[in-house]
Amino acid sequence: MPPQPAAGLAVSRQNLLSKLDRFRKRQHTLLVLVVDCTETMGRYIKEIENQIHTIVDGIRSVESRQELHFVFVGYRDVKANAPIQCFPPPQGEGAQRIYAPGVVTDTFQAEYASFMSGLPAKDGDDIPEDIFTAYDYANRYMEHSQCGTKVLFHVTEAPCHGRKYHDFRRDNYPDYDQTHPPELFLRKFAQMNVDFYFGSLHRRTDKMVQIFKEAYLQQGNQNFKARRIEENPYALTREIIHAVTGSVNRAWQSIEQDAVRLRALFDAATLAAPRMAVVRRILLIAEPSAVPAADEGKEEALIQQALERAFDP
């Protein structure tokens, strides 16, 4: 007779598989770096290029089981030469274009370093930049991603176009926000439960940051944090690691709690064989000692034993 869940914990097979799917996605983290790539940002761009290994190692040191996905979105001004440059670059053309984040591996990091080494810090006429389009691209990658933990870290020293975001006399596109409001994407990010970190390098972004924060809070999402970064590139690496590891920590605390709850819901008879590997991972997280070491050809039997132990009073 298959093990039975505790009284009051029975769930439908569809509901259980849905919970498993959400659980699996939360074990994957997407980091999207949105970076102002105009002339005065050169040393910060170089820091992000040189310290990618440090950033990745810092994130993995908190939770080695987390699979890290990554996107870089570099932006400039509305009519700049190459206003947007992304890594990994979008694939395909037109409506079929795919915005797929990259899974961080040694090969991926080498390709990223090569991309960054050819990324010039250039253009910049007036002070405001085209943040709307940068968020548009970030959103496309976010929507394509299946990661359950999403983090966006925006680094800039300049606000976006539009009179309400700054007090400058000169803005080449003062009404740009009437047709291209960045808040459109702030609301989308909040609805996707993105952890949003704004790394400000200058106080002239303060007015814009407050508007962005209010747009986030209006969606009932508190995950918007703004920090003034010291005027040295090394502080940027520290802030990125601190932000992402904070999100990863919160995700895994929740994952471990959910693992215990899910383990109590399992009815082995409802699980299809392809789900066994997922179940095994959950049991390993919830109670590593409950699952013996894998033995080729015996995976399903081991899972059955683990489930029986899990439900054994």
Side-chain angles (χ1 to χ4, degrees), residues 120-271:
K122 63 178 184 178
D123 296 318
D125 186 8
D126 56 349
I127 293 176
E129 309 296 354
D130 186 9
I131 290 175
F132 172 89
T133 303
Y135 286 176
D136 183 8
Y137 275 76
N139 180 65
R140 297 180 197 193
Y141 282 97
M142 292 275 191
E143 289 184 333
H144 190 89
S145 171
Q146 294 299 307
C147 293
T149 303
K150 295 182 172 73
V151 181
L152 189 152
F153 197 106
H154 183 180
V155 184
T156 186
E157 61 177 11
C160 58
H161 287 290
R163 294 182 180 89
K164 69 179 182 179
Y165 304 104
H166 59 76
D167 298 314
F168 305 134
R169 290 184 178 180
R170 183 183 177 192
D171 184 340
N172 291 348
Y173 305 94
D175 299 317
Y176 192 62
D177 61 303
Q178 299 301 307
T179 53
H180 299 77
E183 295 94 316
L184 169 67
F185 294 109
L186 268 298
R187 289 190 287 270
K188 288 187 176 184
F189 296 150
Q191 290 163 7
M192 284 191 280
N193 203 32
V194 173
D195 288 350
F196 194 106
Y197 296 90
F198 195 99
S200 173
L201 301 173
H202 197 283
R203 64 179 180 274
R204 59 192 173 199
T205 64
D206 289 354
K207 191 173 183 179
M208 176 187 72
V209 169
Q210 187 57 39
I211 293 172
F212 285 6
K213 182 177 182 179
E214 290 172 1
Y216 234 72
L217 295 178
Q218 286 170 4
Q219 301 302 311
N221 192 322
Q222 303 293 319
N223 297 331
F224 183 102
K225 296 179 175 62
R227 295 191 47 110
R228 178 68 51 74
I229 298 175
E230 301 169 24
E231 291 190 9
N232 78 75
Y234 303 108
L236 176 57
T237 296
R238 184 174 65 246
E239 291 293 342
I240 293 172
I241 293 173
H242 176 75
V244 183
T245 54
S247 293
V248 169
N249 265 329
R250 288 192 297 274
W252 276 86
Q253 287 172 6
S254 179
I255 284 170
E256 289 168 353
Q257 292 169 0
D258 285 353
V260 175
R261 297 189 189 100
L262 281 170
R263 194 159 52 87
L265 295 174
F266 288 143
D267 176 350
T270 70
L271 296 175

Side-chain angles (χ1 to χ4, degrees), residues 65 263 280 282-293 309:
R65 293 170 292 182
R263 194 159 52 87
R280 184 172 192 278
I282 293 172
L283 293 173
L284 278 168
I285 295 168
E287 188 180 340
S289 61
V291 185
R309 293 186 188 184

Side-chain angles (χ1 to χ4, degrees), residues 88-143:
Q91 302 296 315
E93 298 295 335
Q96 302 304 315
R97 207 168 199 199
I98 297 174
Y99 298 82
V103 179
V104 176
T105 62
D106 290 343
T107 300
F108 178 88
Q109 291 183 69
E111 293 173 349
Y112 167 79
S114 176
F115 164 83
M116 291 297 292
S117 66
L119 184 73
K122 63 178 184 178
D123 296 318
D125 186 8
D126 56 349
I127 293 176
E129 309 296 354
D130 186 9
I131 290 175
F132 172 89
T133 303
Y135 286 176
D136 183 8
Y137 275 76
N139 180 65
R140 297 180 197 193
Y141 282 97
M142 292 275 191
E143 289 184 333

Side-chain angles (χ1 to χ4, degrees), residues 48-120:
I48 293 172
E49 172 192 340
N50 293 338
Q51 297 300 323
I52 186 62
H53 292 285
T54 303
I55 293 169
V56 170
D57 290 345
I59 296 169
R60 285 177 172 166
S61 69
V62 173
E63 181 46 70
S64 60
R65 293 170 292 182
Q66 192 84 0
E67 182 173 279
L68 182 62
H69 299 230
F70 180 82
V71 173
F72 176 92
V73 177
Y75 69 95
R76 298 182 180 87
D77 210 346
V78 177
K79 293 187 178 180
N81 182 28
I84 296 287
Q85 289 181 275
C86 301
F87 186 85
Q91 302 296 315
E93 298 295 335
Q96 302 304 315
R97 207 168 199 199
I98 297 174
Y99 298 82
V103 179
V104 176
T105 62
D106 290 343
T107 300
F108 178 88
Q109 291 183 69
E111 293 173 349
Y112 167 79
S114 176
F115 164 83
M116 291 297 292
S117 66
L119 184 73

